[in-house]
Amino acid sequence: SPQSLCFVSARWCGAREGGVEGAERRMLRLRGGKGMDVGGDLAADAEAVGGGGEGGGLQMPMLRNILDFSTRLTNTTAGHGAPPHQRMDAERMAFLNHALQSMVENTTDVFRTSISDLSSLGEDNESDRLRKQAALKNLADRVEELDLAQGLYNLGGFVPVLECLGSSYSEIRQGAADVVGLCVHNNYAMQVAAMELGALPLLTAIYANRSLVPEERTKALHAISGLVRGNNTNELQFLQLSGLQMLRADMLLSELRLRRKAIFTLGQLISSNAALRAAVLRIQGDDSGRDKGILPEIVSQIAFPDLEVSEFACAALRTLLQDQGVGGGPSGPTMRDQFPELEGVLESKLAYLLKEAGGNEVDEVRLVRDLLGQLRGEEQREQRATQDSLVGG
């Protein structure tokens, strides 16, 4: 029915653009496009429907026409001058059924074709390399959904993807890293599967190679971040592969995008649990014997002019201060004594953020305020005052 067609089209849009709200936004945009000429040449419209090959699925011009047609059929606000609704004849219904079948039934075919290309094609000629890149792109366009990532694994597609991480060509390695990162993002089952298949050493080898272009190393680190996130065992394995040392170097020396990802991943690691935070803090000591760990690197990034780098550094520092005096975690006043310039850096950052936010207490402002309060021991004083009042009562 037209109502079912509209609903299925909206659900497809939602999957491509973030749920129901995304569906509504995309439908509003698409309805502004060219309407379907129901009485026109159906063969011309059919050219826009993907057949399960490289295009993979219903293309935007076709979807735009279907959405416009279906929403006009279900429009209940038309005035008296609007033409009456017409029943679709067999030809029109067959065309729309074909379009919907192409939309909902071709993913498995795309996966199988892509897996076959990755498994069978070599890299000796440019044509084969381009086909492998296209296959990885087709997979990356689909595996962000959890069930489709699992479907790729069930079809045996994850092994050839991982093999592409060892390719001699950067574009293929980057495409493979994209697929892995999308598959494991917030997906515990795929994290486990990827680790069992040896994804972490392969990705770390790419990330560790500083002769590669920053874009490739960033994609590898992005995949690593998703692979270890929230999994203490995976995080520790990354640390054992010298992950922390590489992150420290990149957040100080690398180009901007890789620097951002490095400090973000570092913050992710130290927020995992108290034991990891303590271990990270004890990695390095200075000549005076005081154990500062990675604090100098984090503090230096708070003053970095890029807002994202600075925000990630502030978040990492706040995490380290959460365990004040516990498991090796420093107290705020102790950290202030070790880094006397830190308070001034945070005050300058706070003034800048307040100016940018028009005086509003946005999240970034609250983050810096919290840090200043911890450095000055305000939170501890408030806790002691509360305890004294309870005892006095």
Side-chain angles (χ1 to χ4, degrees):
S1 68
Q3 290 85 353
S4 299
L5 175 61
C6 189
F7 172 75
V8 173
S9 300
R11 288 297 302 272
W12 187 87
C13 289
R16 300 290 291 181
E17 192 177 318
V20 175
E21 292 182 358
E24 293 173 350
R25 290 194 300 270
R26 188 178 282 273
M27 285 188 70
L28 287 173
R29 289 202 303 273
L30 294 179
R31 289 196 63 192
K34 179 182 178 182
M36 175 183 285
D37 182 5
V38 180
D41 184 3
L42 297 181
D45 280 327
E47 290 296 322
V49 180
E54 291 188 3
L58 198 62
Q59 303 303 305
M60 282 296 103
M62 186 68 255
L63 181 61
R64 183 183 299 114
N65 289 339
I66 290 178
L67 283 172
D68 185 76
F69 175 56
S70 59
T71 50
R72 283 193 286 111
L73 284 178
T74 57
N75 183 11
T76 60
T77 61
H80 295 293
H85 295 317
Q86 299 179 357
R87 294 181 60 84
M88 286 188 290
D89 59 27
E91 183 183 15
R92 295 168 182 166
M93 181 62 75
F95 167 71
L96 292 176
N97 283 337
H98 173 69
L100 288 176
Q101 287 170 5
S102 298
M103 180 169 62
V104 299
E105 294 181 356
N106 74 332
T107 302
T108 299
D109 292 338
V110 174
F111 278 5
R112 285 175 175 159
T113 301
S114 299
I115 293 168
S116 176
D117 285 349
L118 295 179
S119 302
S120 62
L121 295 176
E123 299 180 356
D124 293 336
N125 61 74
E126 184 179 10
S127 176
D128 286 350
R129 292 195 296 271
L130 290 175
R131 283 180 62 184
K132 293 184 81 167
Q133 292 176 43
L136 290 166
K137 180 65 167 60
N138 281 334
L139 297 180
D141 286 343
R142 291 161 176 81
V143 295
E144 191 170 6
E145 296 181 45
L146 301 186
D147 55 340
L148 294 184
Q150 187 65 48
L152 175 65
Y153 176 80
N154 293 342
L155 288 171
F158 211 63
V159 170
V161 169
L162 292 182
E163 290 174 349
C164 287
L165 292 173
S167 169
S168 301
Y169 294 89
S170 176
E171 293 81 2
I172 294 177
R173 293 194 300 266
Q174 290 185 50
D178 280 338
V179 175
V180 175
L182 290 165
C183 282
V184 301
H185 179 68
N186 293 333
N187 190 335
Y188 179 78
M190 288 303 299
Q191 284 182 332
V192 173
M195 290 294 291
E196 290 177 349
L197 292 172
L200 184 58
L202 294 171
L203 289 166
T204 304
I206 295 175
Y207 175 52
N209 189 346
R210 303 189 72 85
S211 68
L212 301 177
V213 296
E215 178 72 11
E216 182 176 349
R217 296 186 63 232
T218 301
K219 289 188 175 185
L221 180 55
H222 178 77
I224 291 170
S225 175
L227 184 59
V228 305
R229 180 176 299 162
N231 189 310
N232 292 162
T233 300
N234 295 358
E235 289 171 340
L236 288 172
Q237 288 191 39
F238 178 57
L239 293 177
Q240 290 169 358
L241 291 170
S242 302
L244 184 60
Q245 290 89 328
M246 289 185 282
L247 291 176
R248 294 173 70 178
D250 281 329
M251 74 181 193
L252 295 174
L253 304 174
S254 291
E255 60 88 38
L256 183 57
R257 187 180 174 194
L258 187 52
R259 182 188 291 247
R260 288 172 178 167
K261 194 63 188 178
I263 186 66
F264 173 82
T265 304
L266 178 61
Q268 171 187 309
L269 284 171
I270 63 178
S271 68
S272 179
N273 59 51
L276 272 175
R277 287 192 288 276
V280 166
L281 285 165
R282 291 193 175 96
I283 290 295
Q284 172 186 320
D286 62 9
D287 294 337
S288 67
R290 290 184 302 178
D291 188 3
K292 292 183 179 180
I294 61 169
L295 287 178
E297 287 93 340
I298 294 176
V299 169
S300 70
Q301 296 308 294
I302 292 176
F304 192 75
D306 180 72
L307 288 179
E308 286 190 46
V309 170
S310 177
E311 181 183 348
F312 293 153
C314 285
L317 185 59
R318 182 176 63 178
T319 299
L320 290 173
L321 285 171
Q322 286 176 353
D323 300 329
Q324 294 190 19
V326 179
S331 68
T334 299
M335 188 178 292
R336 182 182 60 188
D337 292 342
Q338 291 180 347
F339 302 96
E341 77 282 2
L342 178 56
E343 188 171 5
V345 169
L346 288 173
E347 287 176 342
S348 297
K349 182 68 66 176
L350 178 60
Y352 173 79
L353 291 173
L354 282 170
K355 181 179 179 181
E356 289 293 306
N360 296 318
E361 289 288 320
V362 296
D363 289 343
E364 294 82 359
V365 169
R366 285 191 289 270
L367 171 60
V368 177
R369 283 196 192 280
D370 288 346
L371 278 177
L372 281 169
Q374 288 176 302
L375 284 177
R376 295 163 178 165
E378 294 172 359
E379 182 176 335
Q380 291 176 316
R381 286 195 293 270
E382 290 175 359
Q383 290 176 349
R384 285 196 296 269
T386 302
Q387 292 172 352
D388 291 344
S389 65
L390 291 174
V391 172

